[in-house]
């Protein structure tokens, strides 16, 4: 297995009702000559506990690096009990299955609080999530928190907000995902983003290397192909080099497009 695999996001590669999608994540990754793959364990907009048969789990065995993405609906920072409590439960369920299939880590968005709420409450809710899980031995695999593109009360949009969050959860071993499109949308300087994040969190565990359809600071999360967006491609490649971490492409396009992007990255990082 490559030390720093180049992966592709294949969406709901596994579904509770439909089983394997398109032959499963490993088949999809092989079509693009990727040595890593990111996928959901179920409906990304759903709350159901993920379930995989032993046969389906066996189809995930191999040398391909696996990363699971938690459902988008989860928001453990929320001050709304009807959102936060099921978010914690669902997060734990997905983490348990992700660990069972051998995933290197599980990506989860930082979340947000309502505009009338103090962001400090959201930070403390994240702390409680890790603290309560620690009472049961901790999460069974690294939980990788991803920076987000918009929202004034987001937990991981701005570097200062990220610093407050990491002060609360860093001691629990939380990992970090740097999404280049999200960082660009939030107005970060990508030329210094890797150093800025490491100064804040001490780590970068995964890079979501995505271009953006919109100008810097737009707060809009609209991904573009690696070499066809508002972010200069060489700047993206430099982020990947400096991060020295696994990369996952979440760019639009078909298998051939992604195979070309994987080849470009592999050449640039070799």
């Amino acid at each position: 297995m490559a030390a720093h695999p180049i992966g592709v996001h294949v969406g709901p590669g596994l579904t509770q009702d439909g089983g394997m999608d398109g032959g499963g994540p490993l088949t999809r990754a092989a079509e693009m000559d990727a040595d890593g793959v990111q996928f959901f364990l179920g409906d990304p907009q759903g709350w159901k506990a993920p379930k995989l048969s032993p046969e389906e789990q066996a189809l995930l065995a191999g040398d391909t690096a696996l990363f699971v993405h938690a459902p988008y609906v989860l928001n453990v920072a929320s001050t709304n009990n009807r959102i936060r409590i099921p978010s914690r439960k669902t997060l734990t369920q997905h983490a348990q299955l992700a660990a069972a299939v051998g995933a290197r880590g599980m990506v989860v968005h930082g979340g947000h609080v309502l505009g009338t709420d103090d962001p400090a409450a959201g930070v403390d809710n994240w702390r409680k999530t890790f603290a309560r899980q620690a009472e049961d031995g901790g999460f069974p695999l690294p939980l990788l928190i991803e920076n987000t593109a918009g929202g004034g009360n987001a937990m991981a949009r701005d570097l200062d907000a990220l610093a407050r969050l990491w002060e609360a959860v860093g001691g629990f071993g939380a990992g970090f995902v740097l999404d280049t499109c999200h960082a660009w949308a939030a107005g970060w300087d990508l030329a210094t983003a890797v150093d800025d994040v490491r100064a804040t969190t001490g780590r970068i565990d995964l890079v979501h290397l995505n271009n953006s359809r919109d100008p810097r600071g737009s707060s809009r999360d609209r991904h573009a192909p690696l070499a066809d967006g508002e972010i200069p491609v060489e700047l993206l490649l430099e982020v990947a080099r400096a991060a020295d971490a696994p990369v996952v492409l979440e760019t639009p396009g078909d298998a051939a497009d992604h195979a070309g992007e994987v080849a470009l990255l592999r050449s640039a990082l070799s």
Side-chain angles (χ1 to χ4, degrees):
M1 184 184 296
H4 296 323
I6 298 170
V8 289
H9 176 72
V10 299
L14 299 169
T15 63
Q16 289 176 238
D17 299 324
M20 291 289 179
D21 178 32
L26 269 61
T27 298
R28 302 276 300 281
E31 292 172 354
M32 304 170 228
D33 195 28
D35 39 30
V37 65
Q38 176 182 281
F39 56 97
F40 296 104
L41 288 169
D43 180 0
Q45 301 296 343
W47 296 93
K48 290 183 179 180
K51 296 179 182 178
L52 292 178
S53 68
E55 293 76 17
E56 289 170 330
Q57 291 193 39
L59 289 175
L60 292 169
D63 292 333
T64 303
L66 307 180
F67 293 94
V68 166
H69 201 302
Y72 292 134
V73 293
L74 304 190
N75 183 6
V76 300
S78 177
T79 53
N80 183 338
N81 289 346
R82 295 182 178 181
I83 298 296
R84 184 182 67 260
I85 293 173
S87 290
R88 286 176 177 167
K89 179 180 179 180
T90 305
L91 184 69
T92 300
Q93 291 169 336
H94 280 255
Q96 290 171 341
L97 185 53
V101 301
R104 288 192 178 191
M106 187 171 77
V107 178
V108 58
H109 288 176
H112 61 278
V113 296
L114 297 175
T116 55
D117 292 332
D118 185 346
V123 170
D124 196 49
N125 284 335
W126 260 114
R127 181 193 63 77
K128 290 176 181 176
T129 296
F130 276 99
R132 291 179 179 180
Q133 193 66 34
E135 294 174 359
D136 293 326
F139 286 101
L141 81 171
L143 207 62
L144 311 179
I145 301 175
E146 179 179 355
N147 62 303
T148 50
N153 283 340
M155 298 296 100
R157 179 186 189 274
D158 301 315
L159 286 165
D160 57 348
L162 190 63
R164 290 190 292 270
L165 178 60
W166 233 256
E167 185 176 354
V169 304
F172 293 102
F176 183 74
V177 182
L178 172 59
D179 186 299
T180 53
C181 177
H182 296 175
W184 177 265
W188 295 16
D189 182 356
L190 287 183
T192 62
V194 169
D195 288 341
D196 293 339
V197 167
R198 284 211 177 101
T200 303
T201 68
R203 60 195 296 168
I204 295 176
D205 299 86
L206 179 65
V207 176
H208 283 169
L209 202 68
N210 306 310
N211 213 318
S212 173
R213 293 167 56 187
D214 298 293
R216 181 182 168 197
S218 67
S219 295
R220 290 194 288 272
D221 178 15
R222 300 198 303 169
H223 297 187
L226 194 61
D228 186 18
E230 291 289 317
I231 308 173
V233 65
E234 185 53 44
L235 182 55
L236 290 171
L237 296 176
E238 187 52 42
V239 168
R241 292 188 192 101
D244 194 27
V247 171
V248 166
L249 296 161
E250 298 177 319
T251 50
D254 58 20
D257 294 327
H258 289 127
E261 292 183 336
V262 168
L264 171 65
L265 260 178
R266 192 167 282 138
S267 175
L269 299 180
S270 63

